[in-house]
Amino acid sequence: MSRLNEANILLAKEIIGRYPKARSATIPLLHLSQQQNGHITNDAIAHIAELVGATAAEVDGPPGATLALPAREKPAPDVAASAPAWRCSAT
C-alpha cells in the first residue's frame, strides 16, 4: 500500500488544517506515510502532493522527502531478524 489509508487521510486533513498553507504540512505527511508503510514510494509522494496542492517534484525535492526522510522506496530492514543469534542473546 502506498497511498494513505482512509484513517490516515482523515488524519492528514487534520494535520493540513494546523498550518496556514497546506504545503507546510508536507514533511509531517511524509512522516505519516512512512509510519503507515515503513518507507516512502513515488505513489505516496504523488498522493501527498495531491493533498497539499503541490507537484510530486515539489514534495520529493528539498526540503521534502529527499532530505527529511532516510527511508525511501524500500522497507526498513528487520535488524533483529538479520543480526546473528549470538549478538542478540543476553550474556
mmCIF file of all heavy atoms in Angstrom, residues 47-75:
data_model
loop_
_atom_site.group_PDB
_atom_site.id
_atom_site.type_symbol
_atom_site.label_atom_id
_atom_site.label_comp_id
_atom_site.label_asym_id
_atom_site.label_seq_id
_atom_site.Cartn_x
_atom_site.Cartn_y
_atom_site.Cartn_z
ATOM 1 N N HIS A 47 0.516 11.141 -3.939
ATOM 2 C CA HIS A 47 -0.698 11.291 -3.146
ATOM 3 C C HIS A 47 -0.587 12.485 -2.199
ATOM 4 O O HIS A 47 -1.517 13.295 -2.092
ATOM 5 C CB HIS A 47 -0.972 10.003 -2.366
ATOM 6 C CG HIS A 47 -2.290 9.998 -1.675
ATOM 7 N ND1 HIS A 47 -2.504 9.300 -0.522
ATOM 8 C CD2 HIS A 47 -3.469 10.610 -1.956
ATOM 9 C CE1 HIS A 47 -3.761 9.483 -0.131
ATOM 10 N NE2 HIS A 47 -4.357 10.278 -0.979
ATOM 11 N N ILE A 48 0.533 12.623 -1.536
ATOM 12 C CA ILE A 48 0.738 13.760 -0.636
ATOM 13 C C ILE A 48 0.727 15.066 -1.430
ATOM 14 O O ILE A 48 0.157 16.064 -0.982
ATOM 15 C CB ILE A 48 2.029 13.568 0.168
ATOM 16 C CG1 ILE A 48 1.822 12.427 1.168
ATOM 17 C CG2 ILE A 48 2.456 14.854 0.876
ATOM 18 C CD1 ILE A 48 3.071 11.913 1.822
ATOM 19 N N ALA A 49 1.302 15.049 -2.616
ATOM 20 C CA ALA A 49 1.276 16.246 -3.469
ATOM 21 C C ALA A 49 -0.160 16.654 -3.780
ATOM 22 O O ALA A 49 -0.503 17.841 -3.725
ATOM 23 C CB ALA A 49 2.057 15.983 -4.751
ATOM 24 N N GLU A 50 -1.009 15.677 -4.080
ATOM 25 C CA GLU A 50 -2.429 15.975 -4.329
ATOM 26 C C GLU A 50 -3.068 16.617 -3.104
ATOM 27 O O GLU A 50 -3.828 17.586 -3.229
ATOM 28 C CB GLU A 50 -3.200 14.687 -4.645
ATOM 29 C CG GLU A 50 -2.886 14.040 -5.957
ATOM 30 C CD GLU A 50 -3.558 12.664 -6.067
ATOM 31 O OE1 GLU A 50 -4.570 12.410 -5.367
ATOM 32 O OE2 GLU A 50 -3.051 11.839 -6.840
ATOM 33 N N LEU A 51 -2.766 16.071 -1.933
ATOM 34 C CA LEU A 51 -3.386 16.560 -0.698
ATOM 35 C C LEU A 51 -2.977 17.992 -0.356
ATOM 36 O O LEU A 51 -3.779 18.746 0.182
ATOM 37 C CB LEU A 51 -3.036 15.633 0.472
ATOM 38 C CG LEU A 51 -3.646 14.233 0.442
ATOM 39 C CD1 LEU A 51 -3.044 13.363 1.535
ATOM 40 C CD2 LEU A 51 -5.161 14.310 0.597
ATOM 41 N N VAL A 52 -1.737 18.358 -0.659
ATOM 42 C CA VAL A 52 -1.257 19.688 -0.275
ATOM 43 C C VAL A 52 -1.252 20.691 -1.430
ATOM 44 O O VAL A 52 -0.860 21.834 -1.243
ATOM 45 C CB VAL A 52 0.142 19.628 0.383
ATOM 46 C CG1 VAL A 52 0.129 18.776 1.628
ATOM 47 C CG2 VAL A 52 1.207 19.167 -0.596
ATOM 48 N N GLY A 53 -1.685 20.258 -2.601
ATOM 49 C CA GLY A 53 -1.746 21.172 -3.741
ATOM 50 C C GLY A 53 -0.384 21.505 -4.312
ATOM 51 O O GLY A 53 -0.112 22.650 -4.689
ATOM 52 N N ALA A 54 0.480 20.519 -4.391
ATOM 53 C CA ALA A 54 1.821 20.697 -4.934
ATOM 54 C C ALA A 54 2.057 19.657 -6.021
ATOM 55 O O ALA A 54 1.205 18.793 -6.258
ATOM 56 C CB ALA A 54 2.861 20.534 -3.827
ATOM 57 N N THR A 55 3.193 19.742 -6.665
ATOM 58 C CA THR A 55 3.573 18.710 -7.624
ATOM 59 C C THR A 55 4.393 17.650 -6.891
ATOM 60 O O THR A 55 4.947 17.909 -5.818
ATOM 61 C CB THR A 55 4.423 19.288 -8.772
ATOM 62 O OG1 THR A 55 5.672 19.742 -8.230
ATOM 63 C CG2 THR A 55 3.709 20.429 -9.477
ATOM 64 N N ALA A 56 4.495 16.485 -7.486
ATOM 65 C CA ALA A 56 5.304 15.420 -6.888
ATOM 66 C C ALA A 56 6.764 15.863 -6.783
ATOM 67 O O ALA A 56 7.442 15.542 -5.800
ATOM 68 C CB ALA A 56 5.186 14.140 -7.703
ATOM 69 N N ALA A 57 7.247 16.614 -7.757
ATOM 70 C CA ALA A 57 8.634 17.100 -7.715
ATOM 71 C C ALA A 57 8.859 18.040 -6.536
ATOM 72 O O ALA A 57 9.907 18.002 -5.898
ATOM 73 C CB ALA A 57 8.983 17.802 -9.024
ATOM 74 N N GLU A 58 7.863 18.859 -6.228
ATOM 75 C CA GLU A 58 7.997 19.761 -5.084
ATOM 76 C C GLU A 58 8.015 19.000 -3.770
ATOM 77 O O GLU A 58 8.734 19.363 -2.843
ATOM 78 C CB GLU A 58 6.864 20.790 -5.086
ATOM 79 C CG GLU A 58 6.966 21.792 -6.219
ATOM 80 C CD GLU A 58 5.731 22.653 -6.367
ATOM 81 O OE1 GLU A 58 4.612 22.130 -6.203
ATOM 82 O OE2 GLU A 58 5.895 23.846 -6.659
ATOM 83 N N VAL A 59 7.222 17.935 -3.680
ATOM 84 C CA VAL A 59 7.192 17.131 -2.458
ATOM 85 C C VAL A 59 8.476 16.321 -2.331
ATOM 86 O O VAL A 59 9.034 16.184 -1.240
ATOM 87 C CB VAL A 59 5.956 16.205 -2.433
ATOM 88 C CG1 VAL A 59 6.031 15.210 -1.285
ATOM 89 C CG2 VAL A 59 4.688 17.036 -2.335
ATOM 90 N N ASP A 60 8.991 15.795 -3.423
ATOM 91 C CA ASP A 60 10.170 14.940 -3.402
ATOM 92 C C ASP A 60 11.472 15.724 -3.249
ATOM 93 O O ASP A 60 12.438 15.228 -2.697
ATOM 94 C CB ASP A 60 10.227 14.105 -4.675
ATOM 95 C CG ASP A 60 11.223 12.966 -4.598
ATOM 96 O OD1 ASP A 60 11.542 12.524 -3.478
ATOM 97 O OD2 ASP A 60 11.676 12.515 -5.663
ATOM 98 N N GLY A 61 11.496 16.952 -3.720
ATOM 99 C CA GLY A 61 12.725 17.736 -3.670
ATOM 100 C C GLY A 61 12.929 18.415 -2.335
ATOM 101 O O GLY A 61 12.081 18.372 -1.463
ATOM 102 N N PRO A 62 14.102 19.020 -2.165
ATOM 103 C CA PRO A 62 14.403 19.705 -0.901
ATOM 104 C C PRO A 62 13.365 20.766 -0.602
ATOM 105 O O PRO A 62 12.964 21.481 -1.509
ATOM 106 C CB PRO A 62 15.768 20.340 -1.149
ATOM 107 C CG PRO A 62 16.345 19.573 -2.292
ATOM 108 C CD PRO A 62 15.184 19.100 -3.118
ATOM 109 N N PRO A 63 12.897 20.910 0.604
ATOM 110 C CA PRO A 63 13.266 20.143 1.792
ATOM 111 C C PRO A 63 12.309 19.007 2.070
ATOM 112 O O PRO A 63 12.040 18.691 3.222
ATOM 113 C CB PRO A 63 13.184 21.196 2.887
ATOM 114 C CG PRO A 63 12.023 22.039 2.467
ATOM 115 C CD PRO A 63 12.094 22.066 0.950
ATOM 116 N N GLY A 64 11.755 18.397 1.047
ATOM 117 C CA GLY A 64 10.770 17.328 1.227
ATOM 118 C C GLY A 64 11.393 15.979 1.490
ATOM 119 O O GLY A 64 12.288 15.832 2.309
ATOM 120 N N ALA A 65 10.913 14.970 0.786
ATOM 121 C CA ALA A 65 11.287 13.587 1.063
ATOM 122 C C ALA A 65 12.781 13.329 0.930
ATOM 123 O O ALA A 65 13.336 12.520 1.656
ATOM 124 C CB ALA A 65 10.522 12.654 0.125
ATOM 125 N N THR A 66 13.436 14.021 0.025
ATOM 126 C CA THR A 66 14.855 13.766 -0.216
ATOM 127 C C THR A 66 15.695 14.012 1.027
ATOM 128 O O THR A 66 16.574 13.231 1.361
ATOM 129 C CB THR A 66 15.363 14.658 -1.364
ATOM 130 O OG1 THR A 66 14.559 14.405 -2.512
ATOM 131 C CG2 THR A 66 16.802 14.376 -1.686
ATOM 132 N N LEU A 67 15.425 15.106 1.736
ATOM 133 C CA LEU A 67 16.236 15.451 2.895
ATOM 134 C C LEU A 67 15.612 15.056 4.219
ATOM 135 O O LEU A 67 16.317 14.813 5.188
ATOM 136 C CB LEU A 67 16.503 16.968 2.904
ATOM 137 C CG LEU A 67 17.292 17.497 1.726
ATOM 138 C CD1 LEU A 67 17.426 19.007 1.823
ATOM 139 C CD2 LEU A 67 18.668 16.869 1.678
ATOM 140 N N ALA A 68 14.303 15.004 4.286
ATOM 141 C CA ALA A 68 13.626 14.821 5.569
ATOM 142 C C ALA A 68 13.572 13.375 6.032
ATOM 143 O O ALA A 68 13.521 13.113 7.219
ATOM 144 C CB ALA A 68 12.210 15.380 5.492
ATOM 145 N N LEU A 69 13.578 12.444 5.111
ATOM 146 C CA LEU A 69 13.360 11.043 5.484
ATOM 147 C C LEU A 69 14.437 10.145 4.905
ATOM 148 O O LEU A 69 14.690 10.163 3.716
ATOM 149 C CB LEU A 69 11.997 10.585 4.964
ATOM 150 C CG LEU A 69 10.813 11.400 5.454
ATOM 151 C CD1 LEU A 69 9.584 11.041 4.664
ATOM 152 C CD2 LEU A 69 10.584 11.172 6.915
ATOM 153 N N PRO A 70 15.044 9.331 5.735
ATOM 154 C CA PRO A 70 16.057 8.418 5.223
ATOM 155 C C PRO A 70 15.481 7.202 4.508
ATOM 156 O O PRO A 70 16.119 6.637 3.652
ATOM 157 C CB PRO A 70 16.815 7.985 6.481
ATOM 158 C CG PRO A 70 15.831 8.159 7.584
ATOM 159 C CD PRO A 70 14.932 9.300 7.168
ATOM 160 N N ALA A 71 14.269 6.787 4.851
ATOM 161 C CA ALA A 71 13.683 5.578 4.265
ATOM 162 C C ALA A 71 12.963 5.937 2.978
ATOM 163 O O ALA A 71 11.995 6.666 2.983
ATOM 164 C CB ALA A 71 12.715 4.928 5.240
ATOM 165 N N ARG A 72 13.453 5.423 1.866
ATOM 166 C CA ARG A 72 12.871 5.771 0.580
ATOM 167 C C ARG A 72 12.820 4.537 -0.290
ATOM 168 O O ARG A 72 13.842 3.869 -0.485
ATOM 169 C CB ARG A 72 13.747 6.844 -0.058
ATOM 170 C CG ARG A 72 13.274 7.360 -1.351
ATOM 171 C CD ARG A 72 12.300 8.524 -1.151
ATOM 172 N NE ARG A 72 12.185 9.240 -2.400
ATOM 173 C CZ ARG A 72 11.312 8.897 -3.335
ATOM 174 N NH1 ARG A 72 10.472 7.914 -3.144
ATOM 175 N NH2 ARG A 72 11.265 9.559 -4.456
ATOM 176 N N GLU A 73 11.658 4.223 -0.787
ATOM 177 C CA GLU A 73 11.452 3.165 -1.783
ATOM 178 C C GLU A 73 11.569 1.732 -1.277
ATOM 179 O O GLU A 73 11.225 0.827 -1.986
ATOM 180 C CB GLU A 73 12.386 3.326 -2.975
ATOM 181 C CG GLU A 73 12.030 4.488 -3.850
ATOM 182 C CD GLU A 73 10.694 4.327 -4.553
ATOM 183 O OE1 GLU A 73 10.335 3.209 -4.927
ATOM 184 O OE2 GLU A 73 10.004 5.333 -4.706
ATOM 185 N N LYS A 74 12.107 1.499 -0.103
ATOM 186 C CA LYS A 74 12.170 0.123 0.370
ATOM 187 C C LYS A 74 11.936 0.105 1.871
ATOM 188 O O LYS A 74 12.307 1.041 2.564
ATOM 189 C CB LYS A 74 13.499 -0.533 0.026
ATOM 190 C CG LYS A 74 14.706 0.150 0.615
ATOM 191 C CD LYS A 74 15.984 -0.544 0.180
ATOM 192 C CE LYS A 74 17.175 0.182 0.791
ATOM 193 N NZ LYS A 74 18.421 -0.425 0.441
ATOM 194 N N PRO A 75 11.332 -0.949 2.366
ATOM 195 C CA PRO A 75 11.092 -1.049 3.809
ATOM 196 C C PRO A 75 12.402 -1.101 4.589
ATOM 197 O O PRO A 75 13.417 -1.560 4.088
ATOM 198 C CB PRO A 75 10.326 -2.355 3.965
ATOM 199 C CG PRO A 75 9.849 -2.712 2.609
ATOM 200 C CD PRO A 75 10.789 -2.067 1.634
#
